[in-house]
Amino acid sequence: MSTELPGAVDVVATARGGAGPVAEGYEQQAPAIQMMPGNLEAIDGVVIREVTQIADMVLQGVGIPYEQANKYEVKQLPAGVTAASDFNQPGWLPSKEEIKALPEVFFINEESSACDRVCMTMLGCLNLRALKLHFYQNNQQTPLMVDRPCKVGGGCCCPLELTLTNNGQMVGMVVEDFDNYCGQCCAQTCACTYTQKVMVGSSRESLVHKYSLVNSYCCFGRVNNCCGGTCCKPNFFIDVMSPEGKFINAVQMTYGSGGAEDCCRMGAQMNNYVMTFPPGSSHWERLMLLTGIMSVEYAYHSRKGDENN
């Protein structure tokens, strides 16, 4: 299956060829870490882990309205491991050491205004902040970048959205699904269910809806996610659906293997995700699904800033 996109530049070749700025706070990994394969079709899935930032935990604990820019490790899913799709499957609960030992796919670094983060934390809408996400490989910046404007949400007729570009050329968008305004308002307010569309295309006019990501809280979705992703119930499931509404698989947001650090990370809303790519999906579709999980992470599974109120 072709991974070509009009105007696109090979990510790995660019990362290897030119020197790029080093991601702030990037931790040097073990020598076993390898360069990502030429395209994402060569791997079965990824593990996404928000980097632990102790300062965030301390500041949150004393009630100071500040959060550092987020950082994420994206690693190759081990052979033979797939994300669980319901609570009947135990799923993989990786430890920090297990994740760090995996081959690197990307390191993702958030760029956002510190002033914005402080103000929006005080207002209780930190999760809606404007930001950019820069993708790194082997400590060098790639041409991939996510742009996320500040949007208040589809309920206010301003749906959340992210745009992924490669060397300035649009790859696709992730947009909060509000095509049916009344239906989605009811789903969010009555069933605690939030849906985002994953679309691929080189312009807004050419976007093609490839997948939907359904984030359902409590007991209203396909599975009962109440208390999911915590020490009480280690997994929370985000459904990957076809545009027609057919279930494909699930992304497993997991508490981890347990221990004091995982407990602290849970309290600070620093998450792990295990994602198996849909069979037959292209490189760019998989890249957009990764972007979609970042959208879901920021919108629904990160701090709003009013947690201590």
Side-chain angles (χ1 to χ4, degrees):
M1 182 178 295
S2 173
T3 60
E4 292 298 320
L5 189 75
V9 177
D10 182 81
V11 177
V12 176
T14 307
R16 285 173 174 165
V22 175
E24 180 185 356
Y26 186 96
E27 299 178 4
Q28 230 13 301
Q29 304 299 331
I33 297 303
Q34 304 167 4
M35 173 63 74
M36 183 190 79
N39 70 75
L40 295 182
E41 292 178 32
I43 61 178
D44 295 328
V46 293
V47 182
I48 306 164
R49 183 180 190 273
E50 183 176 349
V51 175
T52 303
Q53 303 198 75
I54 302 299
D56 281 353
M57 297 181 183
V58 174
L59 293 173
Q60 289 175 44
V62 297
I64 296 176
Y66 180 74
E67 176 166 303
Q68 295 176 286
N70 291 351
K71 299 173 176 65
Y72 299 89
E73 298 171 325
V74 183
K75 300 299 188 79
Q76 183 175 327
L77 190 67
V81 173
T82 58
S85 60
D86 59 50
F87 293 106
N88 294 321
Q89 303 171 355
W92 182 45
L93 305 178
S95 67
K96 179 178 92 171
E97 290 73 22
E98 287 177 306
I99 295 176
K100 284 188 171 295
L102 296 172
E104 180 188 68
V105 178
F106 292 114
F107 183 89
I108 300 176
N109 193 49
E110 174 189 333
E111 175 193 350
S112 59
S113 163
C115 181
D116 284 353
R117 295 198 301 273
V118 170
C119 293
M120 297 187 80
T121 299
M122 295 174 67
L123 294 171
C125 54
L126 177 64
N127 61 317
L128 303 179
R129 65 188 181 274
L131 54 86
K132 297 183 187 298
L133 297 176
H134 300 282
F135 288 63
Y136 293 79
Q137 291 177 329
N138 284 359
N139 217 12
Q140 293 188 343
Q141 189 169 344
T142 77
L144 293 171
M145 187 185 73
V146 165
D147 182 65
R148 184 196 198 227
C150 179
K151 300 275 188 175
V152 294
C156 297
C157 300
C158 189
L160 307 176
E161 65 176 49
L162 284 82
T163 302
L164 176 68
T165 59
N166 181 29
N167 210 33
Q169 173 68 52
M170 180 189 286
V171 174
M173 294 184 70
V174 181
V175 180
E176 189 179 14
D177 187 352
F178 258 85
D179 293 344
N180 180 343
Y181 181 83
C182 292
Q184 288 301 322
C185 281
C186 181
Q188 291 192 4
T189 57
C190 300
C192 302
T193 299
Y194 302 81
T195 303
Q196 298 201 10
K197 297 188 296 183
V198 178
M199 300 180 287
V200 176
S202 57
S203 67
R204 284 182 178 265
E205 295 73 25
S206 67
L207 288 171
V208 178
H209 183 189
K210 292 292 185 179
Y211 302 100
S212 291
L213 295 173
V214 180
N215 188 88
S216 182
Y217 293 101
C218 300
C219 56
F220 299 102
R222 180 184 59 84
V223 295
N224 181 358
N225 274 325
C226 184
C227 296
T230 70
C231 53
C232 300
K233 185 188 288 186
N235 291 325
F236 181 105
F237 297 104
I238 301 161
D239 290 348
V240 180
M241 311 290 288
S242 72
E244 298 76 29
K246 180 181 178 181
F247 175 77
I248 298 174
N249 63 16
V251 178
Q252 176 190 344
M253 187 180 83
T254 174
Y255 170 71
S257 62
E261 182 178 0
D262 285 340
C263 184
C264 291
R265 282 172 54 81
M266 176 195 70
Q269 294 183 265
M270 297 177 180
N271 303 307
N272 305 316
Y273 297 88
V274 180
M275 178 167 64
T276 305
F277 292 132
S281 54
S282 72
H283 168 79
W284 298 106
E285 291 167 1
R286 294 178 177 197
L287 195 52
M288 286 309 305
L289 276 171
L290 170 58
T291 303
I293 292 303
M294 299 307 300
S295 180
V296 169
E297 153 73 5
Y298 273 100
Y300 315 125
H301 298 290
S302 63
R303 290 184 63 217
K304 295 180 175 63
D306 56 358
E307 290 83 1
N308 295 325
N309 294 339

